[in-house]
Amino acid sequence: MRQYNPSKRILVTGGAGFLGSHLCDRLIAAGHDVLCVDNFFTGTKRNIEHLLPSPQFELMRHDVTFPLYVEVDEIFNLACPASPIHYQHDPVQTTKTSVHGAINMLGLAKRVRAKILQASTSEVYGDPEIHPQVEQYWGRVNPIGIRSCYDEGKRCAETLFFDYHRQHKLRIKVARIFNTYGPRMHTNDGRVVSNFIVQALRGQDITIYGDGSQTRSFCYVDDLIEAMLRLMATGDDFPGPVNIGNPGEFSMLELAEKVIELTGSRSKLVRMPLPADDPKQRRPDISLAQEHLGGWTPRTQLDEGLGKTIAYFDQLLSGTQAA
Ligand SMILES: NC(=O)c1ccc[n+]([C@@H]2O[C@H](COP(=O)([O-])OP(=O)(O)OC[C@H]3O[C@@H](n4cnc5c(N)ncnc54)[C@H](O)[C@@H]3O)[C@@H](O)[C@H]2O)c1
């Protein structure tokens, strides 16, 4: 891995969220000054409260749909609700966050000549016809469905990033993030890993949508953050987009059974209808990341990552950590 200059001023939008808070941890630990910007729509102060005493850390309540004027060297643009329950709550705001947020952050990057990384998503591939997904694949996305505010918002943000790159020579990095899990996920966000774990720990039925044969790949948060840091440190000739995720593929049924085993729960599986536009298969081809990110590869096995995530939720739900 290339050495990361330890004296940068780095803006993390969405820094109080699940991924953003882990990113802030790593950046502070590496000696950077971090400005965490968040409107606390899905993020929480609990995720970053341990950083508040640090003189390297600054927290600003701000909505990225409004312009921001600060002096920074690098920007990680993560602000955007990531789970369907949250992004479908106010779909117009979701599109605004992706599109206006990207315009505002790119405008800022252009003014201060900062390097900027976009947290894009595997959802840009929609319900893919090819498997695993490679970066050259343009995707199959419904432009008018209930997931479109997120999928098309993120696609438009990618367009903006590449137009700023071509038109204004901005140094950009676009990471297409696949399902990531770990401590600090939301308890009630409806994403499958947190759903299953919370249901198992509470002894509730575990909800399987459809027949449970649809597959997902799950990347542990530490592996994802490592890749994002390495991507930001790559040379200006590598804007991406680059898939980041773990290609290990598991069906929903397999995941549910693993969670039951690791929690020792007596929960039963119950079936519910499949939601609209739910992709049947999703798995990253990470060859490009492995080639460009200094030998990066996801290292955390599902059982190990689930163990750490279960321990987090167990503490949270048992009240030893404020919920
Ligand atoms: N977690 C994943 O599996 C995953 C997968 C693909 C892409 N991503 C992307 O990574 C980023 C972070 O995802 P996450 O899982 O940490 O989700 P999250 O919901 O925990 O974090 C998003 C953060 O953005 C903040 N936010 C939302 N709208 C905002 C606005 N208008 N202004 C300022 N802040 C705002 C939220 O309060 C929250 O702190 C998102 O952009 C998401 O699309 C995540």
Side-chain angles (χ1 to χ4, degrees):
M1 180 186 171
R2 275 170 233 203
Q3 274 302 311
Y4 210 59
N5 178 348
S7 60
K8 289 179 188 146
R9 298 160 301 173
I10 301 181
L11 167 61
V12 179
T13 76
F18 161 48
L19 297 182
S21 61
H22 286 278
L23 179 61
C24 289
D25 284 349
R26 284 289 305 270
L27 292 170
I28 295 280
H32 300 294
D33 285 333
V34 172
L35 173 59
C36 168
V37 161
D38 207 295
N39 70 350
F40 300 110
F41 175 53
T42 50
T44 153
K45 283 191 189 150
R46 188 184 64 234
N47 286 343
I48 36 94
E49 67 184 354
H50 58 286
L51 295 174
L52 292 173
S54 167
Q56 291 165 252
F57 185 76
E58 204 180 334
L59 175 63
M60 185 193 282
R61 182 189 286 268
H62 174 82
D63 188 316
V64 295
T65 60
F66 297 97
L68 180 66
Y69 298 92
V70 289
E71 293 293 324
V72 287
D73 304 305
E74 289 181 356
I75 303 169
F76 287 86
N77 188 36
L78 274 66
C80 187
S83 87
I85 287 182
H86 291 138
Y87 71 65
Q88 287 165 9
H89 170 74
D90 185 347
V92 173
Q93 175 67 13
T94 300
T95 304
K96 279 187 187 168
T97 295
S98 273
V99 177
H100 291 194
I103 290 171
N104 288 327
M105 291 308 119
L106 287 161
L108 170 64
K110 180 169 171 249
R111 274 194 299 282
V112 299
R113 303 308 302 169
K115 201 195 275 193
I116 180 165
L117 182 147
Q118 168 69 356
S120 190
T121 169
S122 56
E123 304 289 340
V124 300
Y125 299 122
D127 192 357
E129 300 121 312
I130 66 152
H131 190 73
Q133 289 84 51
V134 287
E135 290 83 352
Q136 294 79 8
Y137 177 55
W138 290 354
R140 187 167 77 113
V141 177
N142 176 357
I144 56 167
I146 56 168
R147 302 172 73 108
S148 312
C149 57
Y150 185 73
D151 303 3
E152 297 287 25
K154 289 285 189 180
R155 284 169 69 94
C156 183
E158 286 201 10
T159 307
L160 284 160
F161 267 70
F162 276 85
D163 281 335
Y164 266 80
H165 177 59
R166 283 183 287 258
Q167 201 174 327
H168 301 297
K169 309 284 171 266
L170 216 62
R171 293 173 298 154
I172 64 154
K173 307 285 169 191
V174 174
R176 289 189 180 151
I177 302 170
F178 283 65
N179 270 353
T180 302
Y181 71 99
R184 301 188 198 151
M185 291 184 89
H186 302 258
T187 319
N188 298 319
D189 73 1
R191 279 186 274 186
V192 66
V193 175
S194 49
N195 250 12
F196 285 0
I197 292 176
V198 169
Q199 288 169 332
L201 289 173
R202 287 182 172 152
Q204 298 166 343
D205 291 341
I206 291 189
T207 326
I208 303 275
Y209 293 99
D211 63 4
S213 65
Q214 68 274 35
T215 63
R216 293 289 184 278
S217 61
F218 303 102
C219 184
Y220 187 64
V221 60
D222 291 357
D223 289 326
L224 190 280
I225 300 299
E226 178 64 30
M228 282 176 86
L229 293 170
R230 288 181 185 221
L231 175 58
M232 188 59 119
T234 54
D236 296 345
D237 56 345
F238 184 65
V242 59
N243 290 338
I244 305 180
N246 188 328
E249 197 175 6
F250 297 89
S251 73
M252 297 302 99
L253 270 180
E254 283 173 310
L255 179 70
E257 277 155 13
K258 263 189 192 300
V259 168
I260 288 178
E261 182 194 320
L262 291 168
T263 52
S265 170
R266 292 189 186 167
S267 295
K268 297 193 174 42
L269 307 184
V270 291
R271 294 180 200 275
M272 301 275 276
L274 208 57
D277 295 343
D278 195 50
K280 285 171 237 12
Q281 267 186 328
R282 187 61 71 60
R283 177 180 160 210
D285 180 318
I286 57 167
S287 339
L288 194 67
Q290 286 173 317
E291 183 190 334
H292 285 269
L293 305 184
W296 172 82
T297 203
R299 305 207 176 275
T300 313
Q301 299 300 316
L302 187 61
D303 285 43
E304 183 191 346
L306 281 179
K308 291 180 183 171
T309 313
I310 288 167
Y312 168 79
F313 277 110
D314 199 19
Q315 262 195 336
L316 194 73
L317 298 178
S318 63
T320 47
Q321 200 174 330

